[in-house]
Amino acid sequence: MIYAVWVPLLMPFVAVPAARRLADALSPVRAVRLLASTGLGLALCSLLALALLVVPGATRFSAVSAFGELVRPLSDAAPAAVPLAAAALALLAGCAAAVTRTTRRHWAELHRSAQPSECTGGELAVLRDSRPDAYALPGRPGTPGRIVVTTGMLRALDPAERDALLAHERAHLAGHHHLFIAAAEVAALCHPALRSLRAPMGYALERCADEAAASAVGDRRVAARAIGRAALAARAAEGAAQLRPRVALAAAAGPVPRRVAALLGRSAPRPRVGRVAAAALLACLVVSGAAALDATSDLHSSIEAAQGENPQH
């Protein structure tokens, strides 16, 4: 176990370079799904590895040995296993606390932002504010999300651009994109290397909404113009971004020039690079999972031997 258990903890550092290439190389929908599944998978494997590191050191204590019915210490429970187990346990506790704190904060933001707006019609909420801004606000469980747009943003765009902007935000709600953002956030809290997945995930989600907006209005140039003008207007208005809850998804967020170039066909997906990056990510996930399973099996055999159930081990 001593070697295999470290693989899930190191593999996220190997996966990050491939993940950074994925968002531009693959179609947005495929990139989002692969980034989310790989990030969560690597995070779970790393948590399992930390849990496996706790066990040998914990069995050095008589209470734990008695509970596990061990007749002798584990073969790999060296003296250094105790401080290693303490460090792993502290990391697990820190991850649990961070995930709990983030979940509570997001829930509180959703609750605060659920108050009625000044002008509401169905899914659209219009705020009387001269600062241009627009974003998709996911609803709490059992409640629909809303598109929030200020009067300043409506004045900054022509009718066709407004339609494209609203279609963009509607795609965020229909695709439940906030769940993918949450998945990337949880993965980042479980392993520091996985924090680098948040930027490509956010970009891929915005590209998904961009493509949906272009399809809805039937003109990629209109969609590109709407996104570019909305971003320029929002950035020119000082403090506009402060209106948004952190759980919101906004058309003016992220690397807008790259998104506009993709809509205008100036940066097409690169299938070969995408396939290589996707294969590298999947390989990292498979190796991490296999190593975690191998370490689990090895620890199980060691526990059986220490219980006297497998004396030939």
Side-chain angles (χ1 to χ4, degrees), residues 25-72:
L26 282 185
S27 67
V29 174
R30 288 184 177 181
V32 164
R33 292 174 180 172
L34 190 55
L35 287 170
S37 58
T38 303
L40 285 178
L42 291 174
L44 289 174
C45 289
S46 66
L47 291 179
L48 177 57
L50 289 175
L52 293 174
L53 286 172
V54 172
V55 177
T59 59
R60 302 280 294 184
F61 297 94
S62 57
V64 177
S65 294
F67 179 79
E69 300 179 351
L70 304 181
V71 297
R72 60 176 181 272

Side-chain angles (χ1 to χ4, degrees), residues 153 156-166 168 213 217 219-233 251-252 256 259-260 263:
M153 180 62 80
L157 306 178
D158 63 35
E161 293 166 352
R162 290 176 204 157
D163 290 341
L165 181 68
L166 296 180
H168 175 103
V217 300
D219 191 330
R220 299 180 69 84
R221 295 186 65 84
V222 170
R225 190 170 68 244
I227 292 164
R229 291 187 64 182
L232 288 173
V256 174
R259 292 166 49 199
V260 170
L263 277 173

Side-chain angles (χ1 to χ4, degrees), residues 7-275:
V7 174
L9 298 174
L10 298 176
M11 199 53 62
F13 294 99
V14 180
V16 164
R20 288 172 178 165
R21 293 179 174 270
L22 201 67
D24 278 323
L26 282 185
S27 67
V29 174
R30 288 184 177 181
V32 164
R33 292 174 180 172
L34 190 55
L35 287 170
S37 58
T38 303
L40 285 178
L42 291 174
L44 289 174
C45 289
S46 66
L47 291 179
L48 177 57
L50 289 175
L52 293 174
L53 286 172
V54 172
V55 177
T59 59
R60 302 280 294 184
F61 297 94
S62 57
V64 177
S65 294
F67 179 79
E69 300 179 351
L70 304 181
V71 297
R72 60 176 181 272
L74 294 183
S75 59
D76 54 358
V82 175
L84 187 61
L89 185 61
L91 289 173
L92 284 172
C95 290
V99 171
T100 301
R101 185 169 57 251
T102 300
T103 301
R104 288 179 176 176
R105 187 187 70 226
H106 284 198
W107 182 267
E109 288 176 352
L110 286 176
H111 182 76
R112 285 195 301 269
S113 60
Q115 73 272 15
S117 60
E118 299 177 22
C119 178
T120 305
E123 68 176 357
L124 180 63
V126 179
L127 300 180
R128 297 186 181 279
D129 195 304
S130 60
R131 294 172 294 181
D133 201 15
Y135 52 87
L137 187 65
R140 291 174 292 173
T143 62
R146 292 186 301 169
I147 299 171
V148 180
V149 60
T150 65
T151 52
M153 180 62 80
L154 293 177
R155 285 194 295 266
L157 306 178
D158 63 35
E161 293 166 352
R162 290 176 204 157
D163 290 341
L165 181 68
L166 296 180
H168 175 103
E169 305 300 351
R170 192 174 294 114
H172 280 316
L173 296 178
H176 303 287
H177 290 174
H178 63 287
L179 297 180
F180 292 98
I181 290 292
E185 184 69 21
V186 168
L189 293 173
C190 293
H191 196 291
L194 297 176
R195 295 173 186 171
S196 298
L197 295 184
R198 289 184 292 192
M201 172 67 80
Y203 172 73
L205 287 172
E206 292 302 329
R207 286 284 298 118
C208 286
D210 291 345
E211 293 295 331
S215 178
V217 300
D219 191 330
R220 299 180 69 84
R221 295 186 65 84
V222 170
R225 190 170 68 244
I227 292 164
R229 291 187 64 182
L232 288 173
R235 291 174 184 178
E238 192 172 335
Q242 297 176 3
L243 295 172
R244 307 174 201 150
R246 280 179 287 190
V247 294
L249 291 156
V256 174
R258 282 171 60 196
R259 292 166 49 199
V260 170
L263 277 173
L264 297 178
R266 296 172 185 167
S267 58
R270 295 165 290 172
R272 184 174 181 180
V273 175
R275 286 193 296 268

